[in-house]
Amino acid sequence: MDHRWTHPPDLTMNAFTLCTGLRVLGYAMVAVVFSIVSVSYYTVVVISWGPLVFRDGFGLRSILPLSIVFAFHLLLALLMWSYFMVVFRDPGAVPENWGPIVEDNPDMASSVTLSEYVTPETRVSTWSTSDGTERRQEVGYCTRCQSSKPPRCHHCSVCQRCVLKMDHHCVWVVNCVGARNYKFFLLFLLYTFLETTLDTLALLPRFIKFFGDAKNHSTSPGHLAVTFLAFVINLAFALSLLCFLVMHTSLVLSNTTTIEVYEKKRSVRWKYDLGKRENFEQVFGKNKALWFLPLFSKEDLANIPSLQGLEFPVRSDIEA
């Protein structure tokens, strides 16, 4: 008999490793998104309104069908553009050997290296800007990444890394929503809401007619089923997205992330709240022409530090 001693099996397990399973769910959600888009396109354009454009010609009677088909394709293009930008744009990762720039003493301004800042405590460096606000670097430490992290940065257990100005991990886009793709996520919500609302209104007459057609057997069962399904799905998404839009609009105007909501409730004045206009520009930029497009101008990327996710201006009336 072999009496050699062996190590007992390691029964410990890191619960956060289970979160990586959400990636698989995320890929399934991408398939769901494209399935909903396909069903809506088939129902609204192919079955309902597209045939009316060609049946009535391009006269006055075709104005409504043509407008619906055009609006559908326009919103669909903006929706998919925003969606792909959220999916493929990096939300922001902490640069290697990152350290804050300390400017408390202009004569001694220097960049603090990672080795000088690897401590579990949070440290603060503050300096005033020309517009009366302050830039404050609250440097934290991530025990999982074993590195310092910028203010408003959080570790994502799904992505297994720290994300700059992390809002949340979204399974619908198989990505985190952070400093560098938050605008694209909001536009995706907006255009999806508008698209599903348009689809719901466009399908409403056919949905009402659905019960008569089903009783008289005047329409094929396949068309009836897909019309009913598309109407219900689009209505459900429109109502749920309206709630998300209201919530995120409130967060943007108060310069708060979903993760920071609880922290904000504990403070008398939220340090990142610079006023609704400036809070909005911290996410969408100053270029009005690009506000509703999933793009940033080079000037905004160069002049608005918060879009890079490494430093953020704070209210000057908040103590360091």
Side-chain angles (χ1 to χ4, degrees):
M1 180 179 296
D2 188 356
H3 294 284
R4 288 179 297 176
W5 182 83
T6 58
H7 289 282
D10 186 4
L11 299 179
T12 61
M13 180 177 65
N14 183 0
F16 289 103
T17 59
L18 300 177
C19 296
T20 56
L22 291 177
R23 293 183 182 180
V24 178
L25 177 61
Y27 294 123
M29 291 301 185
V30 172
V32 171
V33 170
F34 283 97
S35 298
I36 294 173
V37 169
S38 300
V39 170
S40 299
Y41 190 93
Y42 179 73
T43 310
V44 176
V45 178
V46 178
I47 295 179
S48 301
W49 293 95
L52 298 181
V53 175
F54 299 99
R55 188 193 70 181
D56 299 332
F58 292 94
L60 293 177
R61 295 182 61 184
S62 67
I63 291 179
L64 179 59
L66 192 61
S67 299
I68 291 176
V69 172
F70 174 78
F72 180 94
H73 284 90
L74 177 62
L75 290 173
L76 179 61
L78 292 170
L79 182 162
M80 297 308 297
W81 185 9
S82 302
Y83 182 72
F84 284 123
M85 290 296 287
V86 182
V87 172
F88 294 110
R89 176 62 65 91
D90 190 333
V94 181
E96 187 177 357
N97 294 332
W98 174 86
I101 298 176
V102 181
E103 298 186 14
D104 295 54
N105 185 346
D107 297 329
M108 298 295 292
S110 62
S111 177
V112 180
T113 64
L114 179 65
S115 60
E116 295 173 299
Y117 243 99
V118 176
T119 81
E121 296 83 6
T122 298
R123 303 188 183 182
V124 179
S125 62
T126 308
W127 65 96
S128 298
T129 61
S130 57
D131 59 3
T133 60
E134 294 179 347
R135 291 182 183 176
R136 182 177 305 166
Q137 291 286 59
E138 295 184 351
V139 182
Y141 180 77
C142 179
T143 56
R144 297 176 198 164
C145 295
Q146 296 294 306
S147 64
S148 299
K149 59 182 183 181
R152 314 184 79 176
C153 178
H154 296 274
H155 186 90
C156 175
S157 299
V158 179
C159 297
Q160 295 296 313
R161 63 167 181 161
C162 286
V163 176
L164 301 178
K165 195 189 175 185
M166 179 180 174
D167 188 86
H168 69 288
H169 184 93
C170 181
V171 295
W172 288 96
V173 300
V174 204
N175 198 5
C176 268
V177 177
R180 300 178 186 178
N181 66 351
Y182 185 41
K183 172 187 175 180
F184 311 144
F185 173 77
L186 295 176
L187 291 179
F188 169 60
L189 286 183
L190 173 64
Y191 291 128
T192 304
F193 167 72
L194 294 177
E195 181 72 278
T196 52
T197 301
L198 173 67
D199 295 350
T200 302
L201 295 176
L203 293 173
L204 182 59
R206 290 188 66 89
F207 180 76
I208 296 174
K209 189 181 176 184
F210 164 84
F211 299 99
D213 291 343
K215 182 178 180 180
N216 300 326
H217 304 286
S218 58
T219 305
S220 67
H223 284 183
L224 289 174
V226 75
T227 299
F228 180 85
L229 178 65
F231 178 84
V232 172
I233 289 176
N234 279 280
L235 177 61
F237 270 87
L239 293 175
S240 60
L241 287 171
L242 177 60
C243 299
F244 277 105
L245 272 176
V246 171
M247 180 189 76
H248 278 283
T249 299
S250 174
L251 293 176
V252 169
L253 295 180
S254 63
N255 205 343
T256 313
T257 66
T258 303
I259 294 177
E260 294 170 338
V261 169
Y262 179 72
E263 181 184 350
K264 180 187 174 185
K265 289 181 178 179
R266 294 183 300 171
S267 61
V268 178
R269 293 188 183 91
W270 181 234
K271 55 190 172 185
Y272 297 116
D273 188 354
L274 308 176
K276 294 181 179 179
R277 176 62 181 260
E278 191 164 349
N279 292 340
F280 181 85
E281 292 175 347
Q282 293 278 306
V283 176
F284 285 83
K286 296 180 180 293
N287 190 328
K288 297 179 181 179
L290 299 180
W291 275 356
F292 296 102
L293 293 177
L295 294 170
F296 287 112
S297 66
K298 293 182 179 179
E299 293 76 13
D300 283 345
L301 289 175
N303 299 324
I304 304 178
S306 61
L307 295 180
Q308 299 297 335
L310 291 173
E311 59 182 64
F312 303 90
V314 298
R315 297 168 59 109
S316 58
D317 58 348
I318 302 296
E319 294 182 359

